[in-house]
Amino acid sequence: MKPVRLCLLSAIVLTPGALAQTYVVGVENLPFYAPHYHYDAQGEYRGFAREVLDAFAADSGLTLQYKPLSAVQLLSALRSGEIDFKYPDSPHWAQAQKAGMTLHYSQAVVDYVDGVLVAPGRQGRSLDDVRRLSLVQGWTPRGYEQRIDSGQIRLDYSDDLRQMIRQALKQDTDGAYFNVVVATHYLDNIRARPGALVFDPKLPHTRGSFHLSSSRHPQLVARFDRFLGERAAQVAALKDQYRVEANLNSEYLGLEQWKVDFLERRKARNQP
């Protein structure tokens, strides 16, 4: 079930007895996007994103409220001033829908890779062999637009990651397009099917970064950038803790950790 409640955070106030100013952060209401973010049984926003934003609020003496909305609602809410910030965001997303808006983006908070996960037996096949892709509603499979427009690839949409993964595991489609770290985390830790689908780096995929955006508070976006710089070690520790960039820049992207450890040990043994 999609969360509808407002998640509240009371941040540390730097001046004793003073009331911190409150800002609303619009966040995506995807039920599962761990380890970046997710919602617990009480509908509370959790995960790496929450911890980074909480730390920023505490560091700056602010109070943040987290408001879950759909991707379409988030942009509309940002435009109307219903929310003060949007996370995650990117200057490369929804450019047509953002026309006429003045948006201020933070530095990159965390990097990501979106790509296609396939059954192990299909890994390494040609793009010509991809005829049907599983996709979560609202996502755009970058690098596949031409083939989709020409009818060479058909899209099968799902409401969320769980449904999409089920579809791909049954091999009703040739692969599932999603955030590679998130899909792998789900397969390894939630579905308990490690390795059932694997990232295919030979197929088109996209690298990018998550940013914090605002149309009304450029000075706070600048303050957030200072926080990322001054607290770089703290943010890096959170990345390691949540494994949001796990093997992102290595040949092991999308592999479960035990297999990475095994391959590294084997490589070490084979070195002269």
Side-chain angles (χ1 to χ4, degrees):
M1 183 176 4
K2 290 185 178 180
V4 296
R5 59 185 291 179
L6 194 67
C7 307
L8 302 179
L9 160 70
S10 296
I12 298 172
V13 181
L14 298 182
T15 306
L19 292 177
Q21 191 162 355
T22 300
Y23 298 92
V24 179
V25 183
V27 294
E28 294 181 337
N29 68 351
L30 290 174
F32 186 89
Y33 204 77
H36 286 276
Y37 49 86
H38 68 280
Y39 296 88
D40 64 18
Q42 289 72 44
E44 292 288 324
Y45 184 62
R46 303 294 185 194
F48 167 79
R50 174 74 187 255
E51 292 230 32
V52 170
L53 292 169
D54 280 8
F56 165 63
D59 190 72
S60 303
L62 307 175
T63 298
L64 296 181
Q65 297 177 345
Y66 298 99
K67 187 167 186 174
L69 295 167
S70 71
V72 174
Q73 290 172 322
L74 277 170
L75 196 53
S76 175
L78 194 62
R79 187 188 299 271
S80 68
E82 179 186 344
I83 59 176
D84 297 292
F85 303 97
K86 178 180 182 293
Y87 186 87
D89 203 351
S90 167
H92 304 295
W93 297 352
Q95 291 179 334
Q97 293 88 337
K98 291 175 178 176
M101 296 180 68
T102 300
L103 290 177
H104 308 274
Y105 295 93
S106 73
Q107 296 176 15
V109 179
V110 61
D111 295 333
Y112 70 86
V113 172
D114 290 343
V116 174
L117 291 97
V118 300
R122 292 189 61 89
Q123 191 177 35
R125 291 192 185 182
S126 164
L127 179 58
D128 291 334
D129 291 323
V130 178
R131 298 294 183 179
R132 296 175 67 183
L133 275 181
S134 299
L135 201 68
V136 171
Q137 288 282 359
W139 279 61
T140 300
R142 305 293 182 191
Y144 298 84
E145 294 93 337
Q146 247 184 348
R147 287 176 176 259
I148 293 167
D149 292 342
S150 67
Q152 293 174 275
I153 293 179
R154 195 179 93 188
L155 300 180
D156 286 12
Y157 285 101
S158 301
D159 290 332
D160 57 32
L161 171 64
R162 296 175 178 92
Q163 185 181 0
M164 184 189 71
I165 291 294
R166 278 198 303 270
Q167 192 177 44
L169 287 173
K170 290 190 297 181
Q171 297 192 37
D172 291 339
T173 62
D174 299 315
Y177 184 93
F178 207 68
N179 180 291
V180 177
V181 167
V182 173
T184 303
H185 178 88
Y186 176 77
L187 284 164
D188 290 355
N189 300 286
I190 309 300
R191 190 65 189 263
R193 293 284 303 275
L197 297 174
V198 293
F199 171 57
D200 194 334
K202 293 186 178 179
L203 293 177
H205 54 279
T206 301
R207 290 182 176 270
S209 303
F210 290 164
H211 305 252
L212 181 71
S213 70
S214 177
S215 62
R216 304 169 63 197
H217 304 290
Q219 74 285 0
L220 289 181
V221 172
R223 187 187 297 183
F224 183 62
D225 282 345
R226 289 198 298 274
F227 163 80
L228 292 176
E230 293 168 358
R231 305 292 183 183
Q234 181 181 357
V235 174
L238 288 172
K239 288 181 180 181
D240 289 342
Q241 176 186 336
Y242 283 95
R243 297 184 56 76
V244 287
E245 293 180 341
N247 304 310
L248 209 61
N249 297 304
S250 82
E251 61 188 298
Y252 302 130
L253 175 60
L255 291 183
E256 56 269 35
Q257 190 56 43
W258 72 266
K259 189 174 290 186
V260 174
D261 296 339
F262 169 77
L263 293 172
E264 282 294 297
R265 287 196 299 271
R266 188 170 69 180
K267 185 186 293 184
R269 285 199 303 270
N270 292 336
Q271 285 180 347

